[in-house]
């Protein structure tokens, strides 16, 4: 990858009077005892070094795949970068201990944020909570209605930035922005309320279409030059609902939050309007993961039937996906978005084989991908529950799980959700459940037979079952083949006719076979990574 001049990589700081230095750079690795050892295969190459009274800059490069067992391959997945330094140079006795001068940061080295020409002169508006009292409980979803201030004339949002209150970087887990019914009035703007609460305002129920998503660790998102989020026309969002997920596992009292989003927009219109499709597993208790599993795979299906109906009616030529956000919670280890056309698997749409719960952001695709009527999209999530003794359930808490993909695409069509739910009864048959009480009057519903589960909820029955790793593996194989209930939604709570129908998941190769790694030679300049280290 081509590098940038050093100062361009330093945010919010001026770097003046830099002096080129003679410098040395070596490729080391560490063992399980944290002892540094010089790598016999030197794969990191110093490009230059510069220094002034406040900064030292080292620029170095290496191949993405060195095939050195002491190196990690650099892919489009999350990379955890560990850094440390000492204010004195290394002496003859070796490196100096860094003390507290160390840290770590998750990055996507091959998927940096795409900066446009400066947006400093463009207008913007903020959607922020006002002194929200965060409850002293593990998980809170707070919803606040806003009115888009730009009306009567079409504009395009070109960038969205998170505005996270200082000190609340770990409290605010994610923010979703939904389009609501245009038939609402300003009375809905008076106050916020907990989402998914029995007493929440009815107006919240009209907000089903996700128009933007941000998750912890992510930075601002810039739309490509030919695409923008449309605002200001009758078809665009007028009232929007901002959902903020507060993660407060220590149940700290007295927290007040004012976080939100900044939307930067322009009257200079782009060629296409952007849309968002939520794909994957519908968040419900029907999604569950046994305890003690080093790996368990869940799949959410954006089915052939849903895409056939929606794209066939709205856009037979297909839509162009340009970015994807992959979303899971604490048990998540890896996520892939698989794409099938005419039954044949295409290159992965997006993936993260080193998923970090604390670093979730939109991945720009290197090349836009066309999704056509009749395609299949499978969100494949890998989990580890080795440290858990009870079932993990699909749900809103970060201790529950999700398996979702948010697809940014153009041109915008009337499809907001393309997801699936696995059949719960066949899951219960695996643990020996024979009959439930009907009609179902309680949730979770109650089991009637056999005797060992009688009058237990299905959640209690699943927790009572004696799970072993072999049982968990057999259960996983069963769940991946079960029929699914199709979720295929439009804006304004409308549904495509396929909604609620049962479909069979596609016959796909499991596990997914990754493409073989091709080792780079030292002469390969186009496939290397150029980094500037401050």
């Amino acid at each position: 990858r081509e590098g940038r001049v050093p100062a361009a990589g330093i945010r919010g700081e001026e770097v003046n009077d830099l002096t080129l230095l003679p410098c040395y750079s070596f490729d080391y690795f560490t063992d399980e005892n944290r002892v540094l050892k010089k790598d016999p295969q030197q794969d990191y190459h110093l490009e230059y070094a510069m220094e002034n009274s406040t900064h030292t800059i080292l620029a170095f490069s290496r191949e993405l795949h060195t095939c050195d067992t002491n190196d990690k391959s650099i892919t489009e997945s999350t990379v955890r970068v560990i850094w440390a330094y000492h204010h004195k140079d290394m002496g003859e006795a070796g490196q100096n201990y860094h003390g507290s001068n160390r840290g770590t940061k998750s990055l996507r080295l091959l998927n940096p944020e795409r900066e446009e020409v400066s947006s400093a002169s463009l207008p913007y508006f903020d959607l922020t909570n006002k002194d929200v009292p965060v409850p002293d409980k593990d998980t809170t979803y707070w919803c606040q209605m806003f009115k888009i201030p730009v009306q009567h004339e079409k504009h395009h949002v070109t960038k969205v930035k998170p505005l996270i209150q200082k000190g609340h970087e770990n409290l605010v887990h994610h923010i979703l922005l939904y389009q609501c019914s245009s038939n609402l009035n300003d009375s809905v703007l008076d106050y916020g309320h907990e989402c998914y609460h029995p007493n929440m305002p009815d107006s919240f129920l009209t907000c089903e279409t996700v128009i933007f998503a941000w998750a912890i660790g992510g930075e601002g998102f810039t739309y490509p030059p030919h695409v923008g989020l449309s605002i200001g026309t009758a078809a665009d969002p007028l009232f929007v609902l901002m959902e903020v997920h507060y993660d407060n596992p220590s149940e700290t009292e007295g927290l007040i939050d004012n976080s939100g989003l900044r939307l930067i927009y322009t009257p200079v219109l782009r060629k296409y309007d952007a849309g968002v499709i939520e794909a994957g597993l519908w968040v419900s208790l029907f999604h569950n993961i046994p305890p003690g599993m080093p790996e368990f795979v869940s799949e959410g299906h954006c089915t052939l039937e849903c895409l056939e109906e929606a794209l066939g009616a709205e856009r037979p030529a297909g839509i162009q996906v340009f970015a994807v956000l992959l979303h899971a919670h604490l048990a998540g280890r890896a996520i892939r978005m698989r794409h099938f056309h005419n039954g044949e698997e295409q290159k992965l749409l997006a993936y993260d084989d080193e998923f970090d719960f604390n670093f979730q952001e939109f991945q720009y695709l290197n090349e836009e991908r066309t999704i056509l009527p009749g395609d299949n999209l499978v969100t494949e999530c890998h989990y580890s529950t080795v440290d858990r003794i009870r079932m993990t359930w699909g749900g809103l808490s970060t201790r529950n799980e999700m398996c979702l993909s948010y697809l940014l695409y153009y041109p915008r069509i009337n499809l907001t959700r393309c997801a699936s739910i696995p059949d719960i009864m066949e899951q219960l048959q695996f643990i020996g459940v024979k009959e439930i009480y009907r009609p179902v009057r309680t949730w979770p519903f109650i089991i009637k037979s056999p005797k060992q589960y009688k009058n237990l909820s299905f959640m209690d029955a699943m927790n009572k079952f004696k799970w072993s790793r072999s049982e968990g593996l057999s259960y996983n194989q069963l769940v991946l083949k079960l029929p699914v209930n199709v979720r295929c939604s439009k804006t304004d709570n409308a549904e495509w006719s396929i909604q609620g129908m049962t479909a069979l998941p596609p016959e796909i190769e499991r596990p997914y076979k990754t493409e073989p790694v091709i080792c780079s030679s030292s002469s390969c300049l186009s496939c290397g990574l150029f980094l500037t280290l401050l």
Side-chain angles (χ1 to χ4, degrees), residues 88-101:
K88 291 183 179 179
D89 291 340
M90 186 182 296
E92 292 183 3
Q95 76 274 7
N96 300 300
Y97 181 64
H98 49 68
S100 61
N101 299 321

Side-chain angles (χ1 to χ4, degrees), residues 49-161:
M50 307 172 80
E51 188 175 66
N52 66 4
S53 60
T54 60
H55 293 78
T56 298
I57 295 170
L58 304 175
F60 59 92
S61 63
R62 59 153 275 194
E63 306 301 336
L64 302 181
H65 307 290
T66 64
C67 291
D68 180 350
T69 56
N70 297 319
D71 292 342
K72 285 182 69 71
S73 284
I74 296 173
T75 69
E76 294 176 24
S77 295
T78 298
V79 177
R80 290 169 177 80
V81 175
I82 301 170
W83 54 268
Y85 70 91
H86 194 277
H87 66 279
K88 291 183 179 179
D89 291 340
M90 186 182 296
E92 292 183 3
Q95 76 274 7
N96 300 300
Y97 181 64
H98 49 68
S100 61
N101 299 321
R102 63 179 178 180
T104 181
K105 185 173 178 61
S106 287
L107 300 168
R108 283 197 181 87
L109 295 176
L110 304 190
N111 188 36
E113 182 182 355
R114 297 188 181 183
E115 289 287 354
E116 279 191 333
V117 177
S118 175
S119 59
S121 60
L122 293 177
Y124 65 86
F125 58 90
D126 295 342
L127 308 176
T128 54
N129 284 322
K130 298 294 186 290
D131 297 328
V132 170
V134 180
D136 54 344
K137 61 180 182 179
D138 178 76
T139 297
T140 301
Y141 282 75
W142 185 264
C143 284
Q144 173 72 52
M145 196 81 74
F146 296 91
K147 190 174 185 180
I148 299 294
V150 181
Q151 302 167 34
H152 311 305
E153 188 177 348
K154 186 179 179 77
H155 292 71
H156 270 140
V157 173
T158 62
K159 181 167 182 153
V160 183
K161 297 173 60 176

Side-chain angles (χ1 to χ4, degrees), residues 306 309-310 313-314 414-415 488-490 494-499:
C306 178
E309 182 179 11
E314 297 260 325
N414 196 2
L415 176 64
C488 194
S489 307
K490 302 179 181 181
E495 300 168 348
W496 290 96
S497 65
I498 195 69
Q499 171 99 350

Side-chain angles (χ1 to χ4, degrees), residues 52 80 113 148 178 254 272 297 353 357 406 476 504 516 521:
N52 66 4
R80 290 169 177 80
E113 182 182 355
I148 299 294
Y178 295 89
Y272 298 106
V297 180
D353 291 334
F357 166 78
Y406 292 94
N476 201 172
L504 290 173
S521 68

Side-chain angles (χ1 to χ4, degrees), residues 326-385:
L326 304 171
H327 182 64
H329 285 173
L330 286 168
R333 295 295 180 268
I335 310 178
R336 300 187 184 112
M337 176 58 115
R338 301 175 69 174
H339 176 205
F340 297 84
H341 177 65
N342 291 333
E344 293 190 7
E345 182 151 19
Q346 311 298 299
K347 184 180 177 182
L348 287 174
L349 193 60
Y351 71 93
D352 191 346
D353 291 334
E354 303 286 345
F355 177 77
D356 182 353
F357 166 78
N358 293 308
F359 179 66
Q360 303 183 50
E361 64 178 3
F362 275 105
Q363 301 180 29
Y364 297 96
L365 304 191
N366 290 328
E367 295 180 358
E368 294 177 354
R369 183 74 63 86
T370 303
I371 308 297
L372 294 165
D375 283 5
N376 281 93
L377 299 175
V378 181
T379 304
E380 177 187 286
C381 297
H382 295 245
Y383 304 99
S384 172
T385 59

Side-chain angles (χ1 to χ4, degrees), residues 129 131 163-169 172 256-260:
N129 284 322
D131 297 328
L163 300 175
I164 308 302
Q165 182 174 321
K166 189 174 181 180
H168 287 188
E169 291 80 6
V172 181
I256 304 294
D257 185 66
N258 294 277
S259 300

